[in-house]
């Protein structure tokens, strides 16, 4: 089992500079504990995220860390000029000395697209084209592309990622399409939602990985054994009562930020995470308690779902930096060693 961080950097009632500084400190602590990767989200015009430009924050993280891998889940490709994004990602991979993971996706939030003047109805086609172009810019000396949404003619590639043939790609394992797309392109994958649902999605991902070996070979992926991950919000305290006392209001504040833009636009948020603290706990999407409780719940989830990568949301809502650091320390000392021995399945 490997461990990662999934991070929104949702807004807090404090100076933004302090939030950034504290998060970089938490990231360095996670690296010291032995975390494998850090995955930043991309969201726009919402208090859910303070990093609408993930590459900016990741560039800072690249110079503050040494070993932990860095990336986004996900870069929303329809919102970029794909040539410029490929250039920025090549810069970033060199800044972090070959530690970049490139998560790619279409996005699920029409209100965010509307705020940036992009037609969400065209986003699936735009994603497909943009991904082709980014990949060409990673692997070819010239980029030519003549599509519906992007046109490029004989664009020279003068900068390459440090990782060759290209940095590992990541994809969100949603619905029926996600596991197949990720497997056929040799991508690592992460999903979320209730544990039973996660088990089905990861099972389909493993089946697709076996089925699409030839497509992966032709694509040239550097990923031989994929990380099949699940995202969980987590808070650990000395005992269950203290943990719940702190996590319950923190979760409510985080969910309010998650739903804020959707409520503003009178739309329903399309994700399988409950606004109810108790329902989230029952579904397994939120893990809270003392070390014994958290260890037991995560081991039970792994036995059901079979993930080999646990991606934790360590910072959310009204949690203070000190509480996040304490939670990470307890997890590293009293939970992580038992989990690390689990699951070599792919």
């Amino acid at each position: 089992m490997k461990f990662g961080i999934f991070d929104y950097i949702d807004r807090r009632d404090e100076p933004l500079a302090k939030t950034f500084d504290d998060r970089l400190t938490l990231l360095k602590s996670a690296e010291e504990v032995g975390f494998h990767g850090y995955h930043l989200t991309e969201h726009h015009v919402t208090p859910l995220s303070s990093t609408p430009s993930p590459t900016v924050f990741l560039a800072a993280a690249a110079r503050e860390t040494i070993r932990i891998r860095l990336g986004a889940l996900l870069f929303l490709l329809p919102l970029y000029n794909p040539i410029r994004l490929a250039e920025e990602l090549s810069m970033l991979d060199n800044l972090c000395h070959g530690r970049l993971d490139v998560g790619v996706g279409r996005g699920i939030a029409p209100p965010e697209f509307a705020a940036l003047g992009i037609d969400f109805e065209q986003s699936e086609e735009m994603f497909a084209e943009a991904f082709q172009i980014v990949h060409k810019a990673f692997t070819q000396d010239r980029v030519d592309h003549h599509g519906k949404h992007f046109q490029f003619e004989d664009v020279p590639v003068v900068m390459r990622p440090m990782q060759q043939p290209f940095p590992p790609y990541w994809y969100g394992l949603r619905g029926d399409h996600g596991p197949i797309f990720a497997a056929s392109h040799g991508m690592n994958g992460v999903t979320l939602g209730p544990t039973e649902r996660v088990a089905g999605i990861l099972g389909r991902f493993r089946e697709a990985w076996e089925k699409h070996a030839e497509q992966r070979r032709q694509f040239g992926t550097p990923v031989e054994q994929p990380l099949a991950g699940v995202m969980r919000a987590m808070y650990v305290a000395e005992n269950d009562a203290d943990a719940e006392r702190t996590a319950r209001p923190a979760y409510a504040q985080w969910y309010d930020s998650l739903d804020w833009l959707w409520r503003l636009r009178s739309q329903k948020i399309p994700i399988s995470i409950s606004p109810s603290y108790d329902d989230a706990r029952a579904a397994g999407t939120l893990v809270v308690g003392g070390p014994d409780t958290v260890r037991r719940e995560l081991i039970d989830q792994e036995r059901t779902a079979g993930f080999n990568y646990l991606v934790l949301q360590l910072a959310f809502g009204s949690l203070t930096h000190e509480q996040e650091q304490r939670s990470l320390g307890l997890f590293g000392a009293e939970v992580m060693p038992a989990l690390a021995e689990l699951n070599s399945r792919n």
Side-chain angles (χ1 to χ4, degrees), residues 55-78:
T55 55
V56 174
F57 187 82
L58 292 173
R63 309 310 287 179
E64 295 283 342
T65 56
I66 301 171
R67 296 177 301 277
I68 194 167
R69 296 191 63 83
L70 304 170
L73 282 172
L74 306 156
F75 289 105
L76 303 180
L77 297 193

Side-chain angles (χ1 to χ4, degrees), residues 7-11 40-56 72-81 85 88 105-118 120 257-265:
D7 205 358
Y8 288 94
I9 313 191
D10 46 309
R11 291 303 303 271
L40 195 62
T41 64
E42 179 182 344
H43 289 283
H44 299 267
V45 299
T46 169
L48 179 63
S49 171
S50 300
T51 53
S53 179
T55 55
V56 174
L73 282 172
L74 306 156
F75 289 105
L76 303 180
L77 297 193
L79 303 182
Y80 290 90
N81 177 305
L85 178 61
E88 290 190 11
R106 165 196 178 188
I108 62 169
E112 296 184 33
F113 277 64
L116 298 180
I118 305 296
F120 184 77
S257 294
L258 176 71
D259 197 37
W260 182 87
L261 184 60
W262 297 88
R263 295 195 314 272
L264 184 68
R265 301 305 184 207

Side-chain angles (χ1 to χ4, degrees), residues 134-324:
V134 168
H135 187 67
K136 288 177 181 178
F138 282 164
T139 58
Q140 298 179 10
D141 295 328
R142 293 283 190 278
V143 174
D144 288 287
H145 182 88
H146 303 283
K148 177 179 177 181
H149 301 282
F150 300 102
Q151 299 284 332
F152 296 103
E153 180 74 35
D154 193 32
V155 176
V157 175
V158 298
M159 183 185 305
R160 288 286 175 85
M162 177 174 283
Q163 295 175 93
Q164 291 295 312
F166 48 89
Y169 292 123
W170 291 70
Y171 198 68
L173 305 178
R174 301 180 72 246
D176 295 328
H177 169 74
I180 295 173
F181 184 85
S184 60
H185 290 85
M187 297 176 169
N188 298 304
V190 173
T191 191
L192 50 77
T195 302
E196 294 292 339
R197 178 175 175 272
V198 164
I201 291 173
L202 294 185
R204 291 194 293 275
F205 179 49
R206 288 189 289 268
E207 291 173 2
W209 193 269
E210 295 296 324
K211 182 177 180 180
H212 294 281
E214 179 57 25
Q215 287 176 264
R216 285 197 306 280
R217 187 192 67 78
Q218 293 180 10
F219 186 70
T221 177
V223 178
E224 296 182 2
Q225 301 294 334
L227 292 176
V230 61
M231 190 277 283
R232 293 295 186 244
M234 183 198 72
Y235 181 69
V236 191
E238 280 72 11
N239 57 67
D240 290 356
D242 286 348
E244 179 172 338
R245 190 178 303 114
T246 300
R248 185 179 287 273
Y251 184 81
Q253 180 173 313
W254 170 77
Y255 195 91
D256 185 72
S257 294
L258 176 71
D259 197 37
W260 182 87
L261 184 60
W262 297 88
R263 295 195 314 272
L264 184 68
R265 301 305 184 207
S266 301
Q267 297 183 31
K268 182 177 175 58
I269 189 167
I271 64 171
S272 55
I273 294 179
S274 175
S276 163
Y277 172 92
D278 295 308
D279 290 348
R281 290 281 292 114
T285 59
L286 174 65
V287 180
V288 172
D292 291 343
T293 296
V294 170
R295 186 190 313 112
R296 182 183 66 253
E297 289 188 11
L298 290 174
I299 288 174
D300 287 346
Q301 288 196 25
E302 187 281 326
R303 288 172 176 165
T304 298
F307 50 86
N308 61 11
Y309 192 45
L310 177 59
V311 193
L312 296 171
Q313 186 183 346
L314 299 174
F316 55 91
S318 57
L319 294 180
T320 67
H321 176 62
E322 291 72 24
Q323 289 167 338
E324 294 157 359

Side-chain angles (χ1 to χ4, degrees), residues 12-24 320-322:
R12 298 181 172 186
D13 187 19
E14 64 184 14
L16 187 55
K18 180 181 186 307
T19 300
F20 288 153
D21 289 345
D22 288 347
R23 197 56 51 87
L24 289 169
T320 67
H321 176 62
E322 291 72 24

